[in-house]
Amino acid sequence: MIDYTVTGGVCVLRLDAPPLNMITFGLLDALRGALRRASGEPGVRGIVITGGPDHFSAGADVALLRAATRAEDAIRTSRLFQEAFQEVEDSAKPVVAAVAGRMMGSALELAVACHYRVSARPARFSMPEVTLGINPGAGGTQRLPRLVGLEAALRMLLAGEAIDADRALALGLVDAVCDGDELLDRARAVLESRPGPRRTSRLTEKVQDAAANDAAFEEAGKRLARGRPEIIAPKKILEAVRAGLDESVETGLVKEQTGFAECMDTLATRNLIYLFFATRETGKIDGLAGDRPTGVARAAVIGMGSMGTGIAHAVILAGVPVVVLDADATALARGAERIRASVRKRVDEGKLATDRADGMLALLSTTAEWQGVADADLVIEAVFEDVPVKRAVIGRIEAACRPGAVIASNTSTISLDVLAEGMHRPERLVGMHFFNPAHRMPLVEVIRRDATAGGVLATALAFAKRLRKTPVVVRNREGFLVNRLFLPYLKEAFRLLEEGAQAQAIDAAMVEFGFPMGPFVLIDMAGLDILVMTDRFLSRAFPRHGPLSQVAVRLVDGGHLGQKTGSGVYRYEKGDRTPLPSEATGRIVAQVQQEAGRTPRDVGTDGITRRLVLRMVGEAFHVMAEGVAQRESDLDAATVLGMGFPGFRGGVMKHARDLGLSKVLADLESLTAQCGERFLPSGLLREMEGAG
Ligand code: NAD
């Protein structure tokens, strides 16, 4: 696990635990053993701990978390990591970390326990524990502030913010930056030039300005107040950091151990960890083992509208050349300019180096000629949502590209079987359903027809991963997965509005539940016309879902499409996206109520939440029963990544299980009696509940 070599008085300890050098208890033991051996060798003057030239370590094996649910196990895990890294810091001989790649969590905690650090460029440094709902447990809360100062440390610890090698150098997190192939030479040079061990826990220079510390803690306190009470990790991080500074590093380390155990004892943290594994499962497909993906050296996108632009952007971000074709020259120019402006903005914000941005933009080209896409290995169509238009475009792709090229459709509603009709080689059609904005949203639904070839599916999956997205494989069924749940949720929100609940109260209830925004703020952003259009397709496939509220229909008829027209469910001042109460919506709601002879009623927050959440939960069991998703955890990953279902609740199915299937079934039955068959529980839910 540790490769041990001594040359010229320097002992190099190379982590050797392929493929990712994940830190396990076994690796910690091996490291301690190797350190002691090096300490005892008289010929060794200094020690270098390193990994590969472009990758140091992926950090602690997350599987350790699964085994640390009991408090004593959590405390022991944290203590074993702390003790190992303390031994590194206590080494009488100077220790340099020579690191590269993505330095996350415990990998970084190991590096900061060394006396000096040399980093390859490019490298990224982050402490993402907080996103898993835990505090760092291997000394990170104690050493990081002493190395980079409190303010920078808290940003990394509380926000999981990643920094690059140059920023790390400026902050003092690393002592030198070089190319990967010079890493060991630079580490040796640092050993030669430094007086001896510099123990991070004893540094005080960057944490002794009381006023700066107060300001940093105050800022952190504000961040805490904005966070979810269910997730206690930020509070535990602050407690450990404070204890380390106000009392002693030893006290801070104990706080790390107990904080970690307390975090592991919460449902929110267990759900976040569950989700971590769920998102890694989605790409594993039954019966696909023998099918190899085709490499995509060059991609093409057809249609430079909102989606095509975002998809092309995502493709160049991943370093893949892409050509975009659109029938409309203005759309082509506008889309390309949007991508350029967005990349330039990242350069201006200091998030992207100019040469990397130039390299990325050079990967983008546009064309109006079908010949221009002929050499693409994968073509994604993102033209209008219209069957004849899409069929014609797919026909042109088949005529222009070689027979082995994969054809992916970004359709949101049209059955791929309908699009495959008339194709010469329909087995090469697959769905790749991106979410808006496609260069940011982390989910891609990969839609599989029964006839989609295994290799085609494997290529779509591999390509989605290359775009650093989470692919979820979905059977070809109307609405696929996310829209199948999201649309009923939006429709239910309009029904509540019609019954008398206030739009602001509905949105507030969902934010309280944990969504990043409420359904109406969201639909105003996306456009109510999209809701009406999508519902037209889905209500035909699922009559049980019932009609869309007349409130939504009349808002669209009246031109209230959302932010893009200055009014939707809410009203917007010019140039301002703050949702304001809309008189027009109020009038339409009153009119619809009057026509239906309905007396508006007060629906409390609990009533709103129950209806909206159970509408999604109920539908999720139907989706499972129909085999649309391969496994429950796929539904969880997709709902969190694709529609903002709160991660600390683990996703829609995990939430149902946490509520208890008997309670879910009873609630759905009572809602069916109260509201109608759209809440009808699926047979699968009854079976699962019956089976206990
Ligand atoms: P859009 O109207 O913004 O863009 C469509 C583009 O396709 C236009 O620029 C148009 O000029 C071009 N186009 C139309 N016909 C063409 C043809 N025959 N040849 C070449 N170019 C042609 O549409 P959009 O919102 O980007 O949606 C595109 C697809 O993505 C649709 O299938 C839609 O359902 C799907 N989708 C949309 C969203 C969303 O939120 N907008 C989300 C997921 C999926």
Side-chain angles (χ1 to χ4, degrees), residues 373-435:
V373 302
D375 60 353
D377 303 303
L378 170 78
V379 187
I380 303 172
E381 76 75 16
V383 297
F384 300 139
E385 188 76 344
D386 179 273
V387 173
V389 173
K390 284 199 189 286
R391 275 191 181 156
V393 163
I394 290 171
R396 299 300 295 262
I397 301 172
E398 277 207 302
C401 299
R402 59 185 177 77
V406 170
I407 303 177
S409 171
N410 184 45
T411 177
S412 337
T413 49
I414 304 171
S415 162
L416 290 192
D417 292 337
V418 171
L419 296 182
E421 275 171 36
M423 281 181 74
H424 295 298
R425 298 190 54 198
E427 69 280 5
R428 62 163 153 160
L429 183 69
V430 66
M432 285 188 81
H433 184 223
F434 290 79
F435 292 79

Side-chain angles (χ1 to χ4, degrees), residues 343 346-348 351-361:
V343 171
R346 291 190 61 214
V347 173
D348 293 343
K351 292 181 181 154
L352 188 66
T354 310
D355 53 344
R356 280 199 65 212
D358 291 346
M360 224 178 248
L361 289 174

Side-chain angles (χ1 to χ4, degrees), residues 74 132 164 176 225 232 326 348 361 450 452 549 613:
L132 281 178
D164 64 15
I232 64 168
D326 200 297
D348 293 343
L361 289 174
D450 291 341
T452 301
S549 160
V613 173

Side-chain angles (χ1 to χ4, degrees), residues 628-651:
V628 171
Q630 198 182 211
R631 49 179 92 81
E632 252 184 75
S633 59
D634 283 3
L635 264 161
D636 288 322
T639 46
V640 172
L641 299 178
M643 61 195 246
F645 197 94
F648 67 88
R649 297 195 192 273

Side-chain angles (χ1 to χ4, degrees), residues 123-144:
R124 307 272 300 162
F125 300 85
S126 65
M127 296 295 293
E129 282 88 343
V130 71
T131 59
L132 281 178
I134 55 174
N135 57 282
T141 64
Q142 304 305 304
R143 295 193 178 95
L144 207 57

